[in-house]
Amino acid sequence: MDRSRRAATALIVSLALYLALPLAAAREAPASSQQRLAELQRLENDPQVKRAGEAWNKASREAIRQHLRAVAAQGDPRSLLAASMLWSGFGHLEDNAQPLRAKPAQETRAWFDAARRARPRDVLVAWIEASDCKGLSDSCNAREALQFLLQAEPQNAAVQMLAVAAAGKRGDGKAIDGFWQAIAAASIHDAHTLEIGQLLHATMADIDLPPLDPRLAQAMGLQFGLNRPATAQDFAEVGVIGIWMAQAMPGFSPVTHECEGEKLASASLNRQAECERVLELLSADESTLFGPMIGLSKLVELSGDSAEGKAWREQLRQFYWIYENAQQHMMGMAPSDTLPAEYGAWFMTEGELPAMRKLLAHYGLPIRAPAGWLPREPRYRALVSTGREAASAE
């Protein structure tokens, strides 16, 4: 899973951390990209490009800070939430970028605390607070926020999974069983990742960033694998995606731990039914790749060679057609792979999987896998073919 996730998000991470790790993406480039790597290194060693990068970093950082201060001044919970999240990612950067601070910045903490204290409560703010505030504040009341969410969204399996994790930390087995029963009765899985992404994207959509020096734009375009010069908006949009991934991505450990095949073999029939239900909900949540990747894979494993299992295997095959083909066209693996400028907006406003479908359409590829196509990854090739993992899979 980690290897697949790194490959899918290499573009996002490299762009978001461009100033801190200038060769991160290039080091992951395939052998066929060595010419691009050499050109990137030449540009990055150019004193004029370095000076342009330092000047642009300083000017863009100040523009972002001024913008976020104006957003926070609007005073409503969602503006405060967006400003807090974005400041935590963008606001700390200095000319020589340092790792994220151990404690939240003053602005981050003050704005998020104001958002979580506002009444009536906002669901998105409560979701972040119930998730231990994601480093936005060191004075959260996660338990109180979770109680609010349980009352506000009792049919949301994502909220019930938060409750399972919290009960696990307390060692409260009775509460865990109760929350799993609620999961079985849930109608949706919504970790609010799409809403948060839309909020962050809208907050940064009208920011006025300074233009890039042409040589710096060329270097950044190579760094990002765009096969075109980068724009300031590329930096802003994909930087926002990096922040979204760090702070809005839900946790799936209750499902991956409790619904593991060997554990379910000795579990009650009720728990098996509960797992199947939450896995079905995860497979339908396309806001992230993780949901369908986990949900479909485990449903295939659990249903085996039954008619239902074959249907899940076909869904997994279609998922991997989208995933593998979109991945190939990211990071500029071919000269014609110019990442569309709209990709960041698709990603943030429609979800990861819908954005990948649009990317395939952009390159003229079908969004449905042809008959007989199988994934390259041995584990998923075996799952799709047989309903079981390959014997050598880790």
Side-chain angles (χ1 to χ4, degrees):
M1 179 67 70
D2 288 343
R3 183 170 62 251
S4 299
R5 188 66 177 179
R6 281 198 306 273
T9 62
L11 172 63
I12 294 159
V13 174
S14 67
L15 181 51
L17 300 181
Y18 169 73
L19 296 168
L21 299 171
L23 290 177
R27 280 195 292 266
E28 298 297 326
S32 60
S33 298
Q34 291 307 306
Q35 183 176 358
R36 190 181 77 209
L37 173 57
E39 176 64 9
L40 175 60
Q41 290 175 327
R42 184 188 69 78
L43 286 169
E44 288 184 336
N45 290 329
D46 185 324
Q48 291 183 316
V49 173
K50 286 184 177 181
R51 286 194 296 270
E54 290 169 358
W56 188 86
N57 178 28
K58 182 177 181 179
S60 62
R61 184 178 67 248
E62 186 56 32
I64 291 171
R65 287 177 169 180
Q66 290 182 10
H67 178 72
L68 295 181
R69 290 189 183 107
V71 170
Q74 297 175 29
D76 63 281
R78 293 205 174 181
S79 293
L80 288 162
L81 173 64
S84 176
M85 294 178 73
L86 292 166
W87 189 280
S88 73
F90 283 120
H92 75 283
L93 288 176
E94 303 296 342
D95 290 342
N96 295 313
Q98 300 296 321
L100 290 174
R101 299 174 179 179
K103 292 185 177 181
Q106 179 181 346
E107 294 86 352
T108 296
R109 181 192 296 109
W111 294 339
F112 185 73
D113 284 347
R116 69 185 185 85
R117 289 169 183 153
R119 295 296 182 272
R121 280 184 179 270
D122 183 273
V123 169
L124 298 190
V125 177
W127 175 266
I128 298 295
E129 184 174 9
S131 305
D132 293 325
C133 285
K134 299 291 187 176
L136 301 180
S137 176
D138 46 18
S139 59
C140 286
N141 191 332
R143 187 166 186 172
E144 184 181 280
L146 178 57
Q147 289 303 313
F148 165 77
L149 289 172
L150 288 169
Q151 294 175 7
E153 299 186 329
Q155 296 298 313
N156 188 349
V159 172
Q160 302 295 337
M161 285 204 294
L162 270 183
V164 168
K169 291 179 181 178
R170 301 193 305 270
D172 190 344
K174 183 177 180 180
I176 290 174
D177 287 339
F179 291 131
W180 270 104
Q181 292 172 24
I183 286 173
S187 58
I188 59 167
H189 176 275
D190 183 5
H192 299 289
T193 50
L194 186 57
E195 277 185 280
I196 293 172
Q198 291 166 345
L199 173 65
L200 298 179
H201 181 268
T203 301
M204 291 291 285
D206 60 349
I207 189 170
D208 186 17
L209 290 174
L212 291 169
D213 174 272
R215 283 167 297 189
L216 179 60
Q218 182 185 0
M220 290 175 71
L222 284 168
Q223 166 72 26
F224 310 152
L226 302 178
N227 276 340
R228 60 172 171 81
T231 67
Q233 193 63 24
D234 288 322
F235 178 87
E237 285 194 344
V238 188
V240 167
I241 293 174
I243 293 168
W244 172 84
M245 285 189 161
Q247 297 177 355
M249 192 66 65
F252 297 99
S253 58
V255 174
T256 56
H257 174 73
E258 195 68 24
C259 301
E260 194 274 327
E262 292 184 4
K263 185 168 186 177
L264 280 184
S266 59
S268 68
L269 292 177
N270 286 341
R271 184 52 49 85
Q272 292 185 41
E274 291 159 0
C275 279
E276 289 173 0
R277 177 56 182 160
V278 74
L279 292 170
E280 289 175 6
L281 294 175
L282 282 181
S283 68
D285 182 358
E286 297 188 345
S287 60
T288 71
L289 286 174
F290 267 143
M293 189 178 287
I294 293 171
L296 291 172
S297 298
K298 288 193 171 295
L299 283 167
V300 165
E301 293 175 9
L302 294 177
S303 53
D305 203 33
S306 64
E308 186 178 33
K310 291 177 182 177
W312 289 123
R313 282 157 56 186
E314 176 59 17
Q315 284 200 40
L316 184 65
R317 190 177 80 93
Q318 295 297 334
F319 169 86
Y320 263 87
W321 168 262
I322 299 295
Y323 170 71
E324 286 194 358
N325 280 281
Q327 178 183 316
Q328 284 185 20
H329 286 278
M330 291 179 178
M331 298 302 294
M333 290 186 178
S336 60
D337 289 348
T338 300
L339 194 73
E342 301 85 358
Y343 184 76
W346 298 340
F347 189 110
M348 296 299 286
T349 63
E350 301 182 41
E352 280 194 273
L353 206 51
M356 286 188 167
R357 289 194 184 97
K358 283 197 167 184
L359 191 66
L360 264 61
H362 171 81
Y363 290 120
L365 296 172
I367 61 172
R368 298 287 299 177
W373 180 88
L374 291 172
R376 294 189 307 275
E377 178 73 26
R379 179 194 175 198
Y380 295 103
R381 177 182 285 264
L383 277 174
V384 167
S385 301
T386 69
R388 298 180 298 276
E389 287 194 20
S392 60
E394 295 180 358

